[in-house]
Amino acid sequence: MSLTIAQRLDRLKVRTTELAHWRDRQSILIDGWTFDGEPIAHHQDWPHRQGTVRFATAAAAPRDWPIDEIRLQLDLGGESLITLHYSGSQSETFGLDPYHQEFPIKGREFSIATESVARFPFGEPNRAPRLNKARLIWLDEPVHKLHLLLRQIGEAADALESHDVVPHLIDAAEQALCSLDWPSDTPSYISRSSDAVMQQKIWELPELRENPAGLTEVQSALAGAAFDALIARLKELQTRFPPNGELLLTGHAHIDLAWLWPYGETRRKMRRTFNTALSLMERSDDFRFNQSTAHYYAQMEEDDPELLERIKKKVAEGKWETVGGMWVEPDTNMPTGESLARQVLYGQRYFEKHFGVRHTVCWLPDCFGFSGALPQILRLGGIESFFTIKVNWSETNQIPSDLFWWKGMDGSKVLTHTFDNPMHGYNGFVQPDCFVPTWKNFRGKTQHDTSLLAVGYGDGGGGVTPEMVEREVQLRDFPAVPKARWGTVKSYYENAHRVAAKKDLPVWDGEIYLELHRATLTSQSGVKRKHRQAERALITAETLASLAHLLGADRPQSLEADWRVVLKNEFHDILPGSSIREVYIDAEQELDGVIRNAKVEQARALNSLSAHLPAGEVSDALIAVNPSLAPRPLTAKLSDGTVLSCADPVAPLSVAIFGRNTLRPAGMLKASAHSLENEHLSVVIGKDGAVSNLTHKASGREAIDGTANQLWVYPADKPRNWDAWDIDADYAEKAVRLDKPESITLVEQGPHRAAIRVAYRYRNSTVTQLYVLTANARRLDVETTIDWHDRRTLLRTLNPVAVRSRTATFECAFGVVERQTHTNTSWEQAMFEAVAHRFVDLSEPGFGVALLNNAKYGHSARGNVIGMSLVRSPIYPDPLADEGEQSFTYALMPHEGAWHDGGVLQEAIDLNQPLVTILAGGLSAGTLSPLGVEGIPVAISGLKPTEEGEGLILRLYEPAGRRGRLSLTLPPEWKASGALNILEEPIERAGPADIMPFEIRTWRLQPG
């Protein structure tokens, strides 16, 4: 009876599994184990599973076993770093996990020492860990090779489906199996096959032999002959059915810096994974491995310097590829432009210093969307190519190309490639049913004949297995399956650039928005708030110290050590809020430390500034430093709690000295139980606690449509997947408005500041808001304290404004992005929650309203309603995410003209970084401006000491999409260089104007 191809394939798979039971000729148990120094037996539970434990024993292989056919098999019940110590101080180290449990040995006698944790690769606890397996086997090499080859033929037949080669593959495999002489002795056969799936389901197995016989020499030789004949048959078929397509394989082990495990475990994962990769390189000249993240190598300097030296040797040999050029693989939605610049600056410098290489490829496989500022930042850091696969995760619309030019908002371009591997994405496998669909999904095959494929277990690390390396060799002879070869990421992009120089590739213009994981803009708001504070504190500390240097103080010290901490915590599972609770305990402590250090540096810089100010007769002086390019009226909160809100101006990048007794509140400030008013704004708070009127006095316009600052709770914030990551589009179908406040109270009524407090309760949680208006304010601040104790709920503020516009402006790194306020297309419908930094603005010709914030990122703009997400409380992977108290401020700001003419950016800067003040005496009143910037309005990114040599680095950017004249004014004896890149090296810029739309410009300022 003839069988169908599908039936023959099923039969082939069943018969192939039989070979695995005879993979070893003989085996012996390894006994004598200790657990933290105490004896432990085979199959015994661990005495405890707290922290890192240590197993140890000694082993000896029989003398008649060939050393190159001996394998050590271990399953200790978790993840381990295992070290084999041989005589003569020789040793070798491997990573042990569920995918790496078999290891070659270099000598017959050795000891085994481990560092083990009762965890699986994705952080799951092994709640009942035990010593499951420890034995040496004599590998029957011919059986092993034939078994793997037959498995690959079955996988290829599955993947190739109806391809003409499939019957030939099955026929070849069947002939190979028919050529074997297989044992059938009952006791040995039953014992050998006892661990098969079906045998394990039997009610009671017969008594089993402890060490059943393997194949005879003749039987093993027949397996070897069958393998050779099968390879020869595959080569013949390959001439008739050539490989279809080509993949460049890069060995990879995506190691999340922290995610479902704390960073301390990552440090162990690194050592396990890196040792495994090195062991594969020692046994394969062809294997290539890549690992990004400068921070990991810097950590190796501390944890295992010998391991780092071994890696450096493989980098020099071209086998180990450092990649990426960044300090970590960061989120790119939420960090400031300056933070992203420092990712490249400190990453590239580290790689160059320690490995002698700079990177040309940005490697970000797993981030949750990509800022339109990134292409320019990369190009200014010497990086011309970009890799991700996360764009394939979008749930509604797909970017139509996978080999394309990505054009940033300034026009800079990087060559971008993404592959679509349905088998675990960037954690791919070396097997036909991974190769075939990856090539099939490659849409750029008409432009380029090769796609990239990263292979190796990842996220929790581990990387490539010995089997993957062996599979690649076998697959070289396969017909029809895409050709695959080990190579480097750099070489792939070099070839792709040669193709791009000859062909017109597609272009994607602007941000790459991921239509998934939108909740990462809100989850774990504590780390987001402290991260922003740390960014601003460092930038301000550098700016103050640099201004002091321009006035004659000593050159500032580098704050790179603190920047490294900030950059580390921008990792794409830390800052987005998708990690376990332990990660956020560590992250917030680290960021608190950065903030403290930066405040100390700010105080030191202020004292240094004071020492270089002109002496005078002002005994009670207030020094106010404006660290931005936004002119501001004097607003300050002094150390004794005094609030000042004056009309006195503080110029950009200036130091202003005032006599305190001369300071007066700016204009009038009135307040009542439900209203606040100054010369710019008139505010009425309704009985529901929301803003019922917000009048912009200069224009006479009412700024809101109905009521603003409506607080809405969404108790069904329960995404279908990825709890901390996602907000489903139907979250708003069930909503509760907080419109019955427990109290509305006038709590401040001074000449400089007035405030009304509104208190709400929702179930177990409270929201307390202070509506604050200062005498000189052009915005209404909403100082908010939330004490949250409800799970899987989302709190948002909605603000209908009296403006009609088809687009809203969202601030992003180094500029803004405009997004549609309507939902005409599926692309617009999918963008129901999007990132903004310090403001979102909705403007029509002549008038607009902005929503500012100092700690939030998740926003929406639909019709005339600006929304912002304030807190959400998922239960996975942190059941207590955002539990408890948090405080932040947002503000409503009506203005005349467009956002960039109405002072929106200036007010957003002021909300996030107020003027820096200090009290002093014996000074002369006045203003010193050691650095002036004239021409088109621009914003400051950073003012810092140079990384090499004397002087300072000034980085500015154009924030609104304009171009024009720009010039610098420096103190006598100081001069500015020509244009520099982010790496602080001279470049040629082609812009016809001094600064172009959204351009980042960098100069070196130095005396002489």
Side-chain angles (χ1 to χ4, degrees), residues 699 701 844-848 895-898:
S699 66
R701 286 276 299 260
E844 62 190 25
F847 187 78
H895 58 86
E896 291 185 289

Side-chain angles (χ1 to χ4, degrees), residues 744-757:
I744 301 176
T745 311
L746 178 65
V747 293
E748 294 183 48
Q749 192 175 9
H752 289 273
R753 172 179 153 119
I756 295 172
R757 183 177 62 214

